[in-house]
Amino acid sequence: MSTASFGRLGHLLRWLGLTLVVLFGLHLLALVASWNWSLEPFRSLLAERLVNEAPLALVGLLLMLLGSRLDHPAAGRTPLRLLVAVLAILLAVAMVVGVPLSIGASQALEEQASQADGAIAQQSAQLERQKQQLQDPAFVDQLIAQAEQNGQIPEGASSELKKQKAQEFIETQLKPQLERAEQQLAQASLGRDVAVQQRRYAGTGAAVVLAIGFVLVALVALL
């Protein structure tokens, strides 16, 4: 590849990287414009937005640095490299600040999950009691009495027919309702667990990894 081709590629990479960094800034602009550090939800949202959008800035800084290296492979600390280093250091500090924020948000989410555990356990126990109730002869007799009052069982029907109608109602109406309720509880439990683990690993863990990544970018830019 010719020197001119390297120059064009380096120029393109610098602009692509700068575009990604600007996009990162624009994504945070709306949140920064509504700054309210005293509110815990704002701090949690800020930490989440920083971690989710920071890879965009990391790639942008790498592209800018690569473009600078292609243009001036033997040059020292050019203004562009110094800019990359400064931005990388600032973002590394932001990631470090985001770690305790993410940990605090994780703890708050875990507390909410613990409270939800109690409600889910109560609902699960209630569903289990209802499932056992379906096998209770007294409950079947109660269904038969209600069906007779509503005219759903013809007068003079045999006891076998009454039990058959009651069992059909249990199989077609009550059991599907209990199964749907169990599925909803399972989905709620899964959603709670995923939210907690995502905050723990994709939030706190990612902030630590990104902080290290930005520090490495700053070191490479300054070397």
Side-chain angles (χ1 to χ4, degrees):
M1 186 177 291
S2 65
T3 304
S5 298
F6 273 117
R8 288 194 295 270
L9 179 59
H11 186 72
L12 176 62
L13 290 177
R14 289 201 308 273
W15 278 106
L16 285 176
L18 182 60
T19 300
L20 293 178
V21 173
V22 171
L23 284 175
F24 167 75
L26 291 176
H27 287 173
L28 293 180
L29 184 59
L31 189 59
V32 173
S34 303
W35 188 271
N36 195 339
W37 187 259
S38 61
L39 294 178
E40 194 280 330
F42 174 83
R43 297 194 299 270
S44 176
L45 181 60
L46 178 62
E48 181 180 358
R49 187 68 59 84
L50 277 173
V51 172
N52 290 341
E53 303 293 345
L56 191 68
L58 181 62
V59 174
L61 293 177
L62 286 173
L63 290 176
M64 293 170 64
L65 186 59
L66 181 58
S68 176
R69 292 289 186 181
L70 288 176
D71 281 348
H72 309 286
R77 297 176 181 177
T78 63
L80 180 60
R81 293 181 192 177
L82 290 176
L83 175 63
V84 170
V86 170
L87 292 177
I89 292 173
L90 291 176
L91 289 172
V93 172
M95 291 302 105
V96 171
V97 173
V99 170
L101 293 179
S102 182
I103 292 175
S106 297
Q107 292 175 347
L109 190 60
E110 288 176 0
E111 291 177 359
Q112 295 176 2
S114 298
Q115 296 175 358
D117 281 340
I120 291 176
Q122 291 178 358
Q123 293 177 4
S124 297
Q126 183 179 0
L127 286 176
E128 188 62 30
R129 289 193 298 270
Q130 291 176 349
K131 289 171 64 177
Q132 294 176 357
Q133 188 181 34
L134 296 181
Q135 308 298 326
D136 187 0
F139 178 71
V140 175
D141 293 338
Q142 182 180 358
L143 288 178
I144 292 174
Q146 291 177 354
E148 288 177 338
Q149 292 178 358
N150 297 331
Q152 295 173 336
I153 295 179
E155 296 181 0
S158 63
S159 59
E160 289 79 8
L161 180 60
K162 292 179 181 180
K163 291 181 179 180
Q164 180 182 355
K165 292 292 185 180
Q167 193 63 34
E168 289 178 355
F169 179 77
I170 291 174
E171 295 293 334
T172 59
Q173 299 293 329
L174 299 183
K175 282 188 176 181
Q177 291 178 2
L178 292 178
E179 290 174 356
R180 287 193 296 269
E182 286 181 335
Q183 291 177 356
Q184 291 174 355
L185 280 179
Q187 292 175 357
S189 178
L190 177 62
R192 176 208 60 203
D193 293 340
V194 170
V196 171
Q197 299 303 327
Q198 184 176 6
R199 173 70 69 176
R200 179 179 301 166
Y201 297 109
T204 306
V208 174
V209 173
L210 286 167
I212 296 173
F214 283 119
V215 169
L216 293 176
V217 170
L219 290 176
V220 172
L222 292 174
L223 294 178

